[in-house]
Structure formats: structure tokens, C-alpha cells
Amino acid sequence: YIDHETTSDLITTAAIWHQSGKLKVRGSIVSKENKGIVLSNNGGDTVLLLDSCQVSAKNFAFSTLNGTSNIYAEIVNSEVTKTSDNVFSAITLGTTLGQVEVSVNHSTVTNRSTTANSYGIEILDNNSTLRLNNVKVDVNSVSGPSIYSPTPRTILIESVVVTNKALDVNVTNG
């Protein structure tokens, strides 16, 4: 359980790099360089609850990466923001071997990059489930959609989702 500000100034690491087990985070997560929160594992399920957090990072604010087991995350009453003009997404569901389930509830996802192909949420994982409930996605990129996937994908919109850009053509509401 983390209930305070967690910061990182390092390019190669994250403010929180969470592997197997359960973790609840409240407070603020600030990465002045690369990543805010990375979920990864090697043999055990990873469970994360972000509750009333402000997550800010230069590149990936929140990402799943190289998990071999299941990853479950719930983002509740939080703000997830990518701050740099680099081509990355605020939330990235990266390639893993296990199931990835991410629920975003009553939260805001912001990508401040004006660079093309900078998305609010990017889904790269074929094993992922994304649930959105009362979410605002704000993307500054002229051509980047609010939610992007390189392959056809169904997401679950359980309640209102407000975006300033359209969904990618490969993403449909389930």
C-alpha cells in the first residue's frame, strides 16, 4: 500500500514498477523522465488499484509490459497524464503472455503531446480487456485518436466516455 507522493527522475525506470502481488496506491505518482507506472510480472498475478491518484510521466504514464501471468488493474477517481511531446500514449496496454484486464472508472486520461500518433489509450495486447466507465480522454495530437489499436479490438464502454477525438477505426464499443 502506497499513500504518498512517489517520484522518479531516472530515464530507465518508473516511479512504480509493480510485479507479482497486490498493490493499492493513493497519492501522486510523478516521473520527470520516462515512465510513471509499469505493470510487469514473471510467474504470479499482478493486481493494482489506483485510487484517487494523480499520475504524471514524460512518456508512458501507465503501461503493461512483458507479463507472463495475468495483470489486473483498476484506475478509479484518478488523473493519468503524459506530459512530453514524444510519440507515446498516456495509457499503453503492451504485449504480454497473460491476460490483461484494465478498468478505468471516473477518471481522466490526458496526452499533452501535439505529435502525430500520440494517443490517449493504446491497446497493443491481443489478450487485453479494457473497460471504461465515466472517463474523459483528452488528446492534444491533431491526428491521434483517443483510443487506438493496430488490429481490430472491442472495448467495453459501461457508461459515458467523453473524448475530444474519435476512436480509432479498429476500435469498436462492445
Side-chain angles (χ1 to χ4, degrees):
Y1 181 77
I2 299 175
D3 192 14
H4 61 273
E5 180 172 329
T6 303
T7 62
S8 172
D9 294 327
L10 300 174
I11 292 175
T12 58
T13 191
I16 296 175
W17 192 293
H18 178 46
Q19 297 199 355
S20 301
K22 296 179 181 178
L23 178 64
K24 180 179 179 181
V25 180
R26 293 179 58 101
S28 59
I29 295 93
V30 179
S31 175
K32 296 176 184 169
E33 289 295 336
N34 202 12
K35 301 173 180 125
I37 297 172
V38 175
L39 300 183
S40 178
N41 59 31
N42 244 345
D45 288 352
T46 298
V47 180
L48 175 74
L49 171 62
L50 291 181
D51 185 4
S52 303
C53 289
Q54 291 183 331
V55 180
S56 175
K58 195 171 180 181
N59 292 328
F60 302 104
F62 177 92
S63 66
T64 61
L65 178 70
N66 299 330
T68 58
S69 296
N70 300 322
I71 294 174
Y72 306 98
E74 187 168 2
I75 300 170
V76 182
N77 299 321
S78 297
E79 298 175 17
V80 180
T81 304
K82 182 189 133 340
T83 60
S84 78
D85 217 27
N86 296 335
V87 183
F88 296 108
S89 302
I91 294 177
T92 300
L93 305 184
T95 305
T96 64
L97 297 176
Q99 179 71 28
V100 175
E101 292 185 21
V102 176
S103 295
V104 184
N105 302 299
H106 304 282
S107 296
T108 302
V109 177
T110 304
N111 189 336
R112 294 190 179 145
S113 176
T114 57
T115 304
N117 302 327
S118 292
Y119 319 114
I121 301 172
E122 182 176 26
I123 309 167
L124 300 173
D125 195 294
N126 291 327
N127 301 319
S128 63
T129 301
L130 175 64
R131 290 182 174 84
L132 303 176
N133 180 8
N134 287 327
V135 175
K136 180 181 178 188
V137 182
D138 190 10
V139 179
N140 284 355
S141 171
V142 174
S143 59
S146 57
I147 301 173
Y148 167 79
S149 176
T151 59
R153 185 97 48 217
T154 300
I155 62 171
L156 304 171
I157 297 178
E158 298 173 343
S159 185
V160 176
V161 173
V162 177
T163 69
N164 66 332
K165 299 284 192 264
L167 299 178
D168 181 68
V169 295
N170 284 327
V171 177
T172 60
N173 173 21

